Each structure stands twice: as C-alpha cells, then as structure tokens.
Amino acid sequence: MLRLKTILILLLYTLCVFKLIGQGGFRKRIDVPGSYGSKAIAAFETTPNNYLIISKTQVNENGFTVTKLDFINYNSLANTYTIKQVGDTANSYNDDFTWVRNYGKKIGNYIYFAQYAKSVTQSNYFGVFLKLNQNGDTIWKKKFLTLNHDINLFQCNKSIDDGFLLVGKIRDASFNSKLLLIKTDSNGNELWRKTVNGPSPNYYEGRDVIQDSVTKHIIVTGSVFKINSFGTQHDSKFVILFDSLGNQLHSLPATYQLDNSSSGILKDNLNNYYIFGYKVKYYDGLNPKSVGFITKFKITGNSLTQIYDKEVGEVNTSAAFVSISLDQEQNLKVIGIIDTSQAQNVLINYMVQVLKLNPNAEIIKKRYYSYFLNSNWEYGVGALGGNLTQDGGLIVPLDKIKNNAPRPAFFVKYDSTGCDTSAFYCATVGIRENNYQAADVNIYPQPANQIVNLSSPLFANKTAQIQISNNLGQLCYEQQIQFYNGTAQLPLVNLPTGIYFIKLTDEDLKTFTQKLIIE
C-alpha cells in the first residue's frame, strides 16, 4: 500500500511539473459562419488566456464576392469565442495570400492594423489604417487615397512623438511600384508622405518600419525588384535609413543574384536592429530552395553598420522566417515555415518551425510541427506571423500553403518551451523535430558484416554520437563519428552476429534509432 501511494504521489508530481512547464499550449480552428474561405493573418494576446485573432473571410454580398476582416475574441480556458466583422461592397479588403509577412502591431492596450481595400465596383485600392481595442471594436479607421493609383499598406508602428509610421507601396496603372512611407499624428491623420523609386523594373515594397528613439531616424525594410547581372529579374531585401522627416540617408547593400526578401524588423535593448526573412539558395527546376536569414546592424550617425548577415537552417530544405520576437534574455524567438520534402524524398509538406536563437543567430532550440489535416490541406501549413504572450509563449496564425477554400481560421498558442499542446503530450508522444524519421537516415547494408554505412542529407557535416545496443537493451558500442557531406562509415568490430539497435544523436540532441542486423 505504501509503495502504491508513493507511485501515485510521484505520478501526480510529474503531471504537475509537465503542467507547469507546458501550460497554455493549444491549437484551435474556427469555422467562420457564412464564409466560404477564411484565413487567420494576425494573432495577439490581450489578457492572459484571451486572444484577438484577425482573419480574412470571403462572403457573397449582394451578388459580389467581398473580403471582410474578422476580429475573433477567443478565451482558451472556456474554449469560447465571439466574432465581429468589418467590410462591405465599398470596403472589400485585399485577398492577398502572401505568407512571408507579419500583420499588425499591439502597442499598449490597442492593436493597430494597416491594410488595403477597394470598392467591388472599382479597380484601385486605398490604404486602410485601423485602431482596435482589445475586444476587436474599431476605435477609428483612416483611408489613404491617390487618384488612379493603388495604395497598399502592409505594416505600421508607433513613432517617437506618439504618432504613427506606415509603410507599403504606391502603384500606377503600369504596375510601377514606389516605396511608400507615411507619417500620421496620434489619431492616424496623415502629416506627410514620401515615396522612393526603385531600380529597373521599378518595384519597391515596404514590409516593416521602426523609429530609433535616440537619433530619431526611421528604418524601413522590405523587398525590391532588380535585374541582376544575368539579365534576370529578382526579388531582394532592402534596409533604408531615413531622417525623421522621411529624407533618405543611407541603405545597406542589397544582393540580386537570387530571390531574397525581408519580413520584418525589431530592436533589442542594446540598440541593435535585426531584419529577417528568406534567401533562395538555388532552384530545383521551378521550385526554390531557400533558407531563413537574420541580418543584425546598428545605426552609426547617419549610416547603417552591418554586424552580421547569417543564414539559419538545414540543407536541402525550403524555409523562411516570418516573425521574430525577443524574450527577456534577448534571445530571438523565431516563427517560420520549412519544407523538408527533398531531404526526406517525400511529398511536399510545409511545416511550422519554432526556433530559439541567441543574439548571434545560433540555434538554442528548434521544433517543427506538421499540421497536415487531410487532402484539402495539400502542401501543408505555414505560419503568418506571431507575437509574444505574457507567459513567454507565442500566439501564431496559421494557414495552409495551397490557396484552396474553404478552410477555417486556424491559430496555435505555443508555450514557453515551444510546445503547441501540454508538455506532457510533447514528452510522451514526441514531436517531429526531436526525432529523425526513417526517411531521414539510410543505414546499409542490411544485414551488415564488417562495416555499416550511414547516409543523411540532414546530417550534412555534423558530428553524431553513435550507440549500439543488443536486443536486451545492453550498450555494446559507443563512439562519436563525423559526417562528411552527409555520409559516414562505422566499423563493426567485436560485435557478434545478432540483432542490434543503432541510435544516432546529433549536435542538436535530435535522435534516430533503427534496427541493425549483423551477420
């Protein structure tokens, strides 16, 4: 009886520990009433366990297809929600499904949201800037117009004088797009605007903006098109420094050999700035193979000084960073997408990647989550931004990569460990990134004799710890081996004929276990 009581106490203690570590993780899909296609594009924590989710919904209104914005209030404890909608035939919001972008900012107790819309009977878009309270009620809405031009707003931020800065692009009928920077007062009323022409073929798009509190300079990042030295048009990230009145001062050098683009910008408590996004490494036919990047820099006088420009990711994958936040230790909490199909030789399956990096962009921890639901979620699911929560977690809007409706508004809360459910579930069931799968590592020949070969593009040039155990679980062999270009060879000396289990543990503590037959 005493032994049983002790076991129960230990079990209860273990469950409580897992509960404390992993509290707050959840996944939620909401079918918006009357919609025939929804997409969560932004997610914010308003108060503990309460979240405001912004999604786009397509509805039929008076014979027209109208894209509305949904403001979904979700309570994770009660699992209840309410929905408020804005939009009509005169204000149909854009149905752009670009995923490498963050949407909106939570500043104090309000949420600010820059978008663009148009009347269903007109061709030109106008910019829209919304201020929302934490219940999703619209405090004010501002429009930004230019005759016979599209104004597309993509992001906003607070200026140091309690006004706002808006970025996006202004586009004419010939699809020439200039970078657009707008300054408003505290009520969103326009004070001035600046445009910047791009190089041929003249396309600029601002993705994010921030103002430095010391110099009062403004930094804008985004994407620019240019013809490279091979005569090919490519997308490239840019960073431009403006003074407080929007006059251009300096920019970081951009490369145009292959596509790359930035998604956002943030500042740490040491006055360092980071931009992030994706870089294409090469093309496999028409399919780009990309990697997430982080560029760190400082403001030096009227110039920008780059500290590093690092690629972060695995070989033979496609990946991008869409959102980065800073935790209390100034580590980088990254939300992105990754497709490992080429490395695994399987069908395309985009996954959400949740990374923790130190300020030098070195990986501390990584998790990959596959949210493939059914055949209607072909190609997998990617993230569309993310924001920190008070418990050190992240609230993230997600959507399937292939744009085919209908689908629900889908969002996930990751706890401080990066888990999207309870830590107990993560520990007992296991998650994709903690264990390599059978398709990830090839061990041959089977049966083996004097040597065994190991091959994996995911190991690249990593060092791995090898452990071989017999079928009784006894450790028979242990050694560190070095992979070169994804291959390694292991001598099987002094191991008698029989059935064994070989376990690989890489530098990131990611493991792989497979049966090994020696004859």
Side-chain angles (χ1 to χ4, degrees), residues 98-384:
T98 303
W99 45 263
V100 188
R101 182 181 299 153
N102 212 353
Y103 293 80
K105 296 280 175 70
K106 183 176 184 290
I107 304 171
N109 293 322
Y110 297 96
I111 292 165
Y112 299 90
F113 196 72
Q115 265 287 296
Y116 51 103
K118 68 176 182 178
S119 167
V120 295
T121 60
Q122 296 178 344
S123 58
N124 291 118
Y125 283 98
F126 52 86
V128 179
F129 185 33
L130 296 170
K131 179 180 180 180
L132 311 169
N133 65 18
Q134 297 191 116
N135 294 319
D137 301 312
T138 301
I139 306 300
W140 43 250
K141 171 184 174 182
K142 305 296 179 179
K143 290 186 177 182
F144 301 87
L145 306 163
T146 296
L147 187 64
N148 298 325
H149 284 67
D150 286 330
I151 288 188
N152 303 149
L153 296 180
F154 295 132
Q155 191 54 283
C156 59
N157 212 339
K158 196 87 169 177
S159 61
I160 61 174
D161 60 358
D162 289 329
F164 296 94
L165 296 163
L166 312 175
V167 288
K169 66 183 179 183
I170 181 168
R171 187 175 68 175
D172 63 22
S174 299
F175 295 99
N176 294 309
S177 295
K178 300 178 182 180
L179 171 65
L180 177 62
L181 173 62
I182 296 176
K183 174 69 169 64
T184 78
D185 64 16
S186 59
N187 292 314
N189 301 306
E190 182 174 342
L191 299 177
W192 52 256
R193 71 173 63 177
K194 298 286 184 176
T195 60
V196 177
N197 285 313
S200 178
N202 196 14
Y203 185 97
Y204 252 126
E205 179 179 296
R207 296 282 182 86
D208 206 354
V209 60
I210 193 170
Q211 186 170 21
D212 184 70
S213 58
V214 177
T215 64
K216 300 183 180 180
H217 292 339
I218 299 166
I219 304 174
V220 175
T221 190
S223 178
V224 58
F225 284 175
K226 188 178 181 181
I227 304 297
N228 67 13
S229 57
F230 301 104
T232 306
Q233 179 175 306
H234 280 289
D235 203 13
S236 182
K237 62 181 172 66
F238 72 83
V239 186
I240 299 178
L241 183 69
F242 298 88
D243 67 17
S244 61
L245 297 177
N247 300 304
Q248 189 171 344
L249 297 174
H250 186 248
S251 62
L252 288 179
T255 57
Y256 302 98
Q257 295 305 309
L258 289 174
D259 286 330
N260 56 93
S261 182
S262 62
S263 303
I265 185 169
L266 75 159
K267 178 184 178 182
D268 67 16
N269 59 8
L270 297 176
N271 295 320
N272 299 304
Y273 289 89
Y274 303 82
I275 65 166
F276 51 91
Y278 72 91
K279 288 183 181 179
V280 173
K281 299 293 292 179
Y282 66 94
Y283 282 90
D284 176 17
L286 296 177
N287 299 315
K289 298 304 174 185
S290 60
V291 65
F293 79 84
I294 298 177
T295 303
K296 184 177 181 179
F297 58 93
K298 279 182 174 289
I299 296 177
T300 307
N302 291 330
S303 301
L304 299 172
T305 301
Q306 183 170 297
I307 300 171
Y308 64 67
D309 182 30
K310 291 188 177 181
E311 300 168 359
V312 183
E314 303 191 49
V315 298
N316 296 324
T317 64
S318 292
F321 294 163
V322 298
S323 175
I324 297 184
S325 305
L326 289 162
D327 64 16
Q328 292 182 348
E329 290 77 34
Q330 299 298 287
N331 290 314
L332 307 171
K333 306 192 77 168
V334 180
I335 291 291
I337 69 165
I338 187 167
D339 172 32
T340 62
S341 58
Q342 182 182 6
Q344 298 174 350
N345 195 27
V346 296
L347 295 176
I348 294 174
N349 179 26
Y350 279 94
M351 298 181 286
V352 177
Q353 58 176 339
V354 184
L355 307 179
K356 183 178 180 179
L357 313 178
N358 66 21
N360 291 320
E362 298 164 334
I363 294 178
I364 299 173
K365 190 174 186 179
K366 60 183 176 181
R367 295 183 187 274
Y368 302 158
Y369 289 97
S370 176
Y371 295 107
F372 183 88
L373 186 62
N374 52 45
S375 60
N376 196 36
W377 291 70
E378 185 182 5
Y379 297 158
V381 172
L384 293 104

Side-chain angles (χ1 to χ4, degrees), residues 449-451 468 476-477 479 490-496 518:
N449 193 342
Q450 298 295 319
I451 60 171
I468 299 178
C476 303
Y477 181 88
Q479 181 181 323
L490 185 68
L492 300 176
V493 293
N494 301 322
L495 287 179
I518 299 178

Side-chain angles (χ1 to χ4, degrees), residues 2 9 30 68 84 105 152 156 195 238 343 372 402 408 414-415 490 508 517:
L2 181 61
I9 291 173
I30 294 176
K68 298 188 176 186
K84 300 171 183 177
K105 296 280 175 70
N152 303 149
C156 59
T195 60
F238 72 83
F372 183 88
K402 193 171 182 180
Y414 298 94
D415 67 16
L490 185 68
D508 302 315
I517 301 174

